[in-house]
PDB file of all heavy atoms in Angstrom:
ATOM      1  N   GLY A 227     -23.668  14.860 -16.461  1.00 95.00           N
ATOM      2  CA  GLY A 227     -24.682  15.852 -17.054  1.00 95.00           C
ATOM      3  C   GLY A 227     -25.154  15.321 -18.452  1.00 95.00           C
ATOM      4  O   GLY A 227     -25.439  14.176 -18.509  1.00 95.00           O
ATOM      5  N   ASP A 228     -25.020  16.162 -19.426  1.00 94.00           N
ATOM      6  CA  ASP A 228     -25.387  15.704 -20.822  1.00 94.00           C
ATOM      7  C   ASP A 228     -24.135  15.397 -21.747  1.00 94.00           C
ATOM      8  O   ASP A 228     -24.252  15.421 -22.787  1.00 94.00           O
ATOM      9  CB  ASP A 228     -26.348  16.654 -21.560  1.00 94.00           C
ATOM     10  CG  ASP A 228     -25.776  17.997 -21.584  1.00 94.00           C
ATOM     11  OD1 ASP A 228     -24.548  18.120 -21.306  1.00 94.00           O
ATOM     12  OD2 ASP A 228     -26.440  18.988 -22.025  1.00 94.00           O
ATOM     13  N   GLY A 229     -22.938  15.040 -21.126  1.00 94.00           N
ATOM     14  CA  GLY A 229     -21.734  14.795 -21.800  1.00 94.00           C
ATOM     15  C   GLY A 229     -21.844  13.393 -22.387  1.00 94.00           C
ATOM     16  O   GLY A 229     -22.740  12.599 -22.270  1.00 94.00           O
ATOM     17  N   ARG A 230     -20.860  13.245 -23.374  1.00 94.00           N
ATOM     18  CA  ARG A 230     -20.746  11.950 -24.104  1.00 94.00           C
ATOM     19  C   ARG A 230     -19.836  10.935 -23.407  1.00 94.00           C
ATOM     20  O   ARG A 230     -18.839  11.370 -23.037  1.00 94.00           O
ATOM     21  CB  ARG A 230     -20.531  12.203 -25.458  1.00 94.00           C
ATOM     22  CG  ARG A 230     -20.893  11.021 -26.270  1.00 94.00           C
ATOM     23  CD  ARG A 230     -20.640  11.137 -27.782  1.00 94.00           C
ATOM     24  NE  ARG A 230     -21.300  12.246 -28.301  1.00 94.00           N
ATOM     25  CZ  ARG A 230     -21.020  12.819 -29.587  1.00 94.00           C
ATOM     26  NH1 ARG A 230     -20.127  12.295 -30.255  1.00 94.00           N
ATOM     27  NH2 ARG A 230     -21.721  13.758 -30.002  1.00 94.00           N
ATOM     28  N   ILE A 231     -20.196   9.738 -23.360  1.00 95.00           N
ATOM     29  CA  ILE A 231     -19.427   8.758 -22.602  1.00 95.00           C
ATOM     30  C   ILE A 231     -19.041   7.477 -23.604  1.00 95.00           C
ATOM     31  O   ILE A 231     -19.901   6.866 -24.295  1.00 95.00           O
ATOM     32  CB  ILE A 231     -20.110   8.064 -21.455  1.00 95.00           C
ATOM     33  CG1 ILE A 231     -20.893   9.208 -20.544  1.00 95.00           C
ATOM     34  CG2 ILE A 231     -19.238   7.377 -20.560  1.00 95.00           C
ATOM     35  CD1 ILE A 231     -21.739   8.728 -19.616  1.00 95.00           C
ATOM     36  N   VAL A 232     -17.798   7.109 -23.410  1.00 95.00           N
ATOM     37  CA  VAL A 232     -17.319   5.865 -24.253  1.00 95.00           C
ATOM     38  C   VAL A 232     -16.893   4.876 -23.219  1.00 95.00           C
ATOM     39  O   VAL A 232     -16.238   5.177 -22.069  1.00 95.00           O
ATOM     40  CB  VAL A 232     -16.127   6.290 -25.105  1.00 95.00           C
ATOM     41  CG1 VAL A 232     -15.611   5.037 -25.826  1.00 95.00           C
ATOM     42  CG2 VAL A 232     -16.518   7.306 -26.159  1.00 95.00           C
ATOM     43  N   CYS A 233     -17.265   3.591 -23.433  1.00 96.00           N
ATOM     44  CA  CYS A 233     -16.828   2.515 -22.623  1.00 96.00           C
ATOM     45  C   CYS A 233     -16.368   1.315 -23.375  1.00 96.00           C
ATOM     46  O   CYS A 233     -16.915   0.818 -24.286  1.00 96.00           O
ATOM     47  CB  CYS A 233     -18.115   1.986 -21.831  1.00 96.00           C
ATOM     48  SG  CYS A 233     -17.675   0.603 -20.696  1.00 96.00           S
ATOM     49  N   GLY A 234     -15.207   0.834 -23.041  1.00 94.00           N
ATOM     50  CA  GLY A 234     -14.547  -0.390 -23.679  1.00 94.00           C
ATOM     51  C   GLY A 234     -15.222  -1.603 -22.977  1.00 94.00           C
ATOM     52  O   GLY A 234     -15.004  -1.842 -21.830  1.00 94.00           O
ATOM     53  N   LEU A 235     -15.885  -2.455 -23.750  1.00 95.00           N
ATOM     54  CA  LEU A 235     -16.384  -3.690 -23.183  1.00 95.00           C
ATOM     55  C   LEU A 235     -15.485  -4.828 -23.518  1.00 95.00           C
ATOM     56  O   LEU A 235     -14.843  -4.903 -24.544  1.00 95.00           O
ATOM     57  CB  LEU A 235     -17.622  -4.049 -23.929  1.00 95.00           C
ATOM     58  CG  LEU A 235     -18.962  -3.404 -23.478  1.00 95.00           C
ATOM     59  CD1 LEU A 235     -20.065  -3.983 -24.320  1.00 95.00           C
ATOM     60  CD2 LEU A 235     -19.241  -3.799 -21.963  1.00 95.00           C
ATOM     61  N   SER A 236     -15.253  -5.728 -22.475  1.00 93.00           N
ATOM     62  CA  SER A 236     -14.260  -6.778 -22.758  1.00 93.00           C
ATOM     63  C   SER A 236     -15.152  -8.108 -22.709  1.00 93.00           C
ATOM     64  O   SER A 236     -14.564  -9.068 -23.066  1.00 93.00           O
ATOM     65  CB  SER A 236     -13.229  -6.938 -21.785  1.00 93.00           C
ATOM     66  OG  SER A 236     -13.769  -7.115 -20.437  1.00 93.00           O
ATOM     67  N   GLY A 237     -16.251  -8.028 -22.162  1.00 91.00           N
ATOM     68  CA  GLY A 237     -17.088  -9.313 -22.031  1.00 91.00           C
ATOM     69  C   GLY A 237     -16.891  -9.804 -20.534  1.00 91.00           C
ATOM     70  O   GLY A 237     -17.585 -10.574 -20.086  1.00 91.00           O
ATOM     71  N   GLY A 238     -16.093  -9.212 -19.833  1.00 94.00           N
ATOM     72  CA  GLY A 238     -15.807  -9.541 -18.374  1.00 94.00           C
ATOM     73  C   GLY A 238     -16.807  -8.874 -17.538  1.00 94.00           C
ATOM     74  O   GLY A 238     -17.521  -8.046 -17.956  1.00 94.00           O
ATOM     75  N   VAL A 239     -16.968  -9.241 -16.323  1.00 96.00           N
ATOM     76  CA  VAL A 239     -18.059  -8.778 -15.340  1.00 96.00           C
ATOM     77  C   VAL A 239     -17.764  -7.342 -14.970  1.00 96.00           C
ATOM     78  O   VAL A 239     -18.830  -6.592 -15.073  1.00 96.00           O
ATOM     79  CB  VAL A 239     -18.135  -9.720 -14.138  1.00 96.00           C
ATOM     80  CG1 VAL A 239     -16.926  -9.741 -13.286  1.00 96.00           C
ATOM     81  CG2 VAL A 239     -19.318  -9.221 -13.264  1.00 96.00           C
ATOM     82  N   ASP A 240     -16.534  -6.827 -14.882  1.00 96.00           N
ATOM     83  CA  ASP A 240     -16.428  -5.530 -14.323  1.00 96.00           C
ATOM     84  C   ASP A 240     -16.821  -4.440 -15.368  1.00 96.00           C
ATOM     85  O   ASP A 240     -17.641  -3.690 -15.205  1.00 96.00           O
ATOM     86  CB  ASP A 240     -14.890  -5.244 -14.024  1.00 96.00           C
ATOM     87  CG  ASP A 240     -14.478  -6.244 -13.002  1.00 96.00           C
ATOM     88  OD1 ASP A 240     -15.340  -6.804 -12.319  1.00 96.00           O
ATOM     89  OD2 ASP A 240     -13.164  -6.377 -12.891  1.00 96.00           O
ATOM     90  N   SER A 241     -16.325  -4.685 -16.678  1.00 96.00           N
ATOM     91  CA  SER A 241     -16.668  -3.709 -17.644  1.00 96.00           C
ATOM     92  C   SER A 241     -18.149  -3.836 -18.037  1.00 96.00           C
ATOM     93  O   SER A 241     -18.857  -2.781 -18.339  1.00 96.00           O
ATOM     94  CB  SER A 241     -15.808  -3.842 -18.854  1.00 96.00           C
ATOM     95  OG  SER A 241     -15.990  -5.034 -19.655  1.00 96.00           O
TER      96      SER A 241
END
Side-chain angles (χ1 to χ4, degrees):
D228 56 8
R230 196 178 300 168
I231 313 169
V232 178
C233 174
L235 274 182
S236 70
V239 59
D240 303 340
S241 66

